Amino acid sequence: MYIMDFLKLKIGIRKYCQLFFMLMAIILTIGTSQAAGSGAVKKTSVNMDKWAKTKKLEDKSLLYKKVPVYGKDEKQKIKKYLLSLPDKITEEEAEKKGIAVQSYNFDKNNFNAVWQGFYKYAREGEKALIKKDGVIKCYAEPFKAAIVLLRYTTEGDIHYTYISFIEGEYYVVADYSRDKYMKSAPDGIDEIGTFKSLRKRREIIKYGNKNYYDVIYSVFKKPGISKKEIKRIINKKDSYIGKYYNLFDYYKSIK
C-alpha cells in the first residue's frame, strides 16, 4: 500500500516537474521573441530610413514625368508647350518642371538625375519592344514618356529641346525662339525628326595636357543599333540629321 502511494507521488512530482520546465521554456521563448522582435523593429526602422532617403533621390529621377507626352502628329501642342516655357529659369525651377539642365561645369558633368531617369526608362522600353516583352515592369505607363533639355548659348540665351518616346519611337523638336542669333524657322521651332534608338557614346578628347571624355547622347534612325554601326555612321559626313542627331554632349575628365 505504501509502495503504491509512493509511486503515485513520484509520478505526480515528475508531471509537475515537466509542467514547470515546459512553462520555463515558453517564458524563455517569449522573451527571446520579444528581443528578436525589438531587434527586428530597430532593423526595420533603419531600413525605412534608408528607403526614405533613397525614395527622395529616386523621386528626382522621375520628375521627367511632369512633361506632357506628345507624338509627331501633335506638333501644335508641342509648339504651344515649348513657347509656354519661361525665357529665364533657375536649375531648381527647371528640375521641378521635369526639365533637364545641361551644365558646363566639369565637376557636375555626370548630367542630372532627371535626364538619367528618362534615359533609363527609354532604354528599357527599347529593349522590351525588341524582345517583345509586352510591358516594362514597375512603370505605370510603359513605352510613353517625354523630357525637355535646356542648354544655354555663350550669350546666355536659352535653347529647349523636346524629346518624346512613344512605343519605341523618339520624336525630337528644337526650340530656338529665345536665341537672338539662331532662328532657322520663322517661329524658332524646328522639327528635327523621328528616331528609333537613344544611345550614349564616348570619345576621347585632348585638351592641353589632360585627356577628357566627350560624352555624347544621340538618337539614331535605326533601332537596336550596335556600337560598330554607330561608329560607321558617325564617320560618314552625310549621316548627321539624316541617320542620327546629337542631343547634347559634355566633357568629363579621365582620371
Side-chain angles (χ1 to χ4, degrees):
M1 187 72 179
Y2 289 112
I3 293 170
M4 291 299 292
D5 290 339
F6 175 75
L7 288 172
K8 285 179 182 179
L9 180 63
K10 191 176 179 181
I11 292 167
I13 291 169
R14 186 183 293 173
K15 285 182 179 179
Y16 282 120
C17 286
Q18 286 176 344
L19 286 169
F20 173 76
F21 285 119
M22 283 177 67
L23 183 62
M24 289 299 293
I26 291 167
I27 291 167
L28 287 170
T29 303
I30 291 169
T32 305
S33 299
Q34 285 178 340
S38 177
V41 169
K42 287 179 182 177
K43 190 174 181 181
T44 303
S45 178
V46 171
N47 287 340
M48 285 298 287
D49 288 341
K50 285 182 179 178
W51 177 85
K53 288 176 183 176
T54 305
K55 185 66 179 171
K56 193 174 181 181
L57 292 173
E58 286 177 10
D59 284 346
K60 194 179 280 190
S61 71
L62 296 175
L63 286 173
Y64 68 87
K65 291 190 173 186
K66 292 195 172 186
V67 176
V69 185
Y70 300 123
K72 60 185 177 183
D73 298 325
E74 299 174 288
K75 296 174 188 176
Q76 291 304 315
K77 289 183 180 179
I78 296 172
K79 186 185 290 189
K80 186 178 179 180
Y81 169 71
L82 286 169
L83 293 175
S84 73
L85 296 176
D87 296 347
K88 291 184 179 180
I89 190 170
T90 65
E91 283 193 32
E92 291 76 17
E93 289 169 340
E95 202 169 67
K96 288 176 184 177
K97 288 179 177 288
I99 298 170
V101 183
Q102 181 180 1
S103 172
Y104 293 96
N105 183 339
F106 280 9
D107 297 328
K108 293 174 70 176
N109 273 345
N110 56 353
F111 214 52
N112 61 32
V114 184
W115 169 258
Q116 295 298 344
F118 172 81
Y119 178 72
K120 181 182 176 183
Y121 171 87
R123 288 290 292 146
E124 285 184 2
E126 281 187 46
K127 291 171 187 175
L129 282 163
I130 290 168
K131 293 177 182 178
K132 296 181 180 179
D133 289 345
V135 295
I136 301 176
K137 294 177 181 178
C138 302
Y139 291 104
E141 293 183 288
F143 314 133
K144 185 178 179 182
I147 195 169
V148 172
L149 295 175
L150 185 158
R151 289 173 292 173
Y152 290 94
T153 67
T154 51
E155 295 81 18
D157 294 331
I158 279 179
H159 280 187
Y160 287 118
T161 304
Y162 179 89
I163 308 153
S164 66
F165 174 70
I166 302 173
E167 294 294 330
E169 185 172 81
Y170 297 90
Y171 182 59
V172 183
V173 176
D175 176 4
Y176 304 122
S177 62
R178 298 156 183 85
D179 191 339
K180 303 178 187 70
Y181 305 97
M182 181 180 176
K183 282 187 182 179
S184 53
D187 58 4
I189 308 291
D190 286 352
E191 180 185 36
I192 304 300
T194 56
F195 302 85
K196 292 289 185 179
S197 187
L198 171 59
R199 299 295 290 273
K200 173 185 176 181
R201 55 192 176 87
R202 298 191 304 182
E203 295 176 7
I204 296 176
I205 303 292
K206 290 187 176 181
Y207 186 76
N209 297 325
K210 292 185 177 182
N211 289 339
Y212 294 90
Y213 282 124
D214 186 6
V215 183
I216 309 162
Y217 284 92
S218 309
V219 279
F220 292 85
K221 290 286 186 180
K222 188 173 181 179
I225 191 167
S226 67
K227 290 181 180 179
K228 189 176 181 180
E229 289 174 301
I230 288 172
K231 194 172 182 180
R232 187 169 68 245
I233 286 173
I234 63 175
N235 285 333
K236 289 184 178 180
K237 292 180 181 178
D238 60 345
S239 293
Y240 192 69
I241 300 291
K243 293 184 179 179
Y244 78 102
Y245 178 76
N246 291 338
L247 296 171
F248 68 90
D249 67 336
Y250 62 83
Y251 293 106
K252 189 174 182 180
S253 61
I254 301 173
K255 295 180 181 178

